[in-house]
Amino acid sequence: MTLKAIIGDYRAFFARQMADLGKAGFVLDPMPVSHLAFRTRTYAEYLAAREALEAHAIANVENVWRGRPISKILLEEPLELDDQHEVRLIELIPPVHLADYPMGLEHVGLVVGETFDDFCHEHEDRFAEFQDQGPYCQPHLVTFESGCTVKFYRHSLMDVVIKEGRRFDDFHHAPWDGD
């Protein structure tokens, strides 16, 4: 099964997110893409998507966050999103925990880097929210009418995982009994 068959038309999704950023008043130089997030409705769908994605991957770091597993799957080959952007990390998210989110491709993460604080200050009136996900991960979010989101990060999600002491060296699955 192809990656497009598993997660959908990632190129069209990325193009919509970039167009929505432009409509929201963001004039951005190309930024590295941290990851694409893909959300499933059920835990059974999560397991099926995890298995299918892992067939195209070299590693998965799965942990339990807010009572549910979340996978960070490192693809063997990057996905080309457009002429200037590619991504190798898919964040696979199981059923909703706090609010209603779109299923399927749900958000794209962009890496601002060392100018993150200035960037967030400059665009503070455009952000829907800020998330505190630990000492290395405090993304600022723009949410569009579609419910899809662009998250801006200081560090890529892969770098955050590594800073937290986990490694992309194998397929690590977290013990979890839920759904």
Side-chain angles (χ1 to χ4, degrees):
M1 182 180 296
T2 67
L3 286 164
K4 187 175 179 181
I6 299 166
I7 64 172
D9 190 345
Y10 49 86
R11 288 179 62 91
F13 173 77
F14 185 75
R16 280 191 308 274
Q17 298 306 93
M18 295 302 101
D20 284 345
L21 279 176
K23 290 177 196 169
F26 285 87
V27 179
L28 304 173
D29 290 331
M31 293 180 181
V33 177
S34 166
H35 62 281
L36 292 178
F38 183 79
R39 188 178 295 276
T40 63
R41 291 188 197 287
T42 67
Y43 185 58
E45 288 177 12
Y46 172 86
L47 291 175
R50 184 181 75 184
E51 181 178 356
L53 286 167
E54 285 180 347
H56 297 273
I58 59 173
N60 178 8
V61 177
E62 183 181 65
N63 65 305
V64 176
W65 172 257
R66 294 184 176 167
R68 67 211 168 97
I70 295 181
S71 285
K72 279 71 62 189
I73 299 171
L74 183 60
L75 300 173
E76 186 171 12
E77 297 292 329
L79 296 177
E80 185 179 302
L81 302 173
D82 65 16
D83 291 342
Q84 299 177 336
H85 298 92
E86 61 182 29
V87 66
R88 285 191 65 198
L89 196 67
I90 304 294
E91 182 181 30
L92 179 61
I93 308 170
V96 177
H97 65 292
L98 294 175
D100 291 327
Y101 291 96
M103 296 298 118
L105 286 166
E106 188 261 338
H107 75 258
V108 61
L110 297 176
V111 182
V112 178
E114 293 307 313
T115 61
F116 181 76
D117 292 331
D118 292 338
F119 177 85
C120 292
H121 179 71
E122 177 184 346
H123 298 290
E124 64 188 341
D125 60 324
R126 293 183 180 101
F127 293 122
E129 67 178 291
F130 152 82
Q131 295 177 334
D132 187 352
Q133 299 176 348
Y136 308 110
C137 190
Q138 297 89 30
H140 285 63
L141 292 71
V142 178
T143 303
F144 304 111
E145 288 181 16
S146 64
C148 294
T149 303
V150 173
K151 295 184 179 184
F152 294 94
Y153 294 82
R154 179 184 311 275
H155 309 286
S156 71
L157 183 57
M158 180 184 290
D159 288 345
V160 168
V161 169
I162 292 167
K163 286 175 181 287
E164 292 174 343
R166 294 173 280 157
R167 298 174 38 186
F168 287 90
D169 60 356
D170 203 354
F171 295 88
H172 303 281
H173 297 154
W176 194 71
D177 61 1
D179 194 55

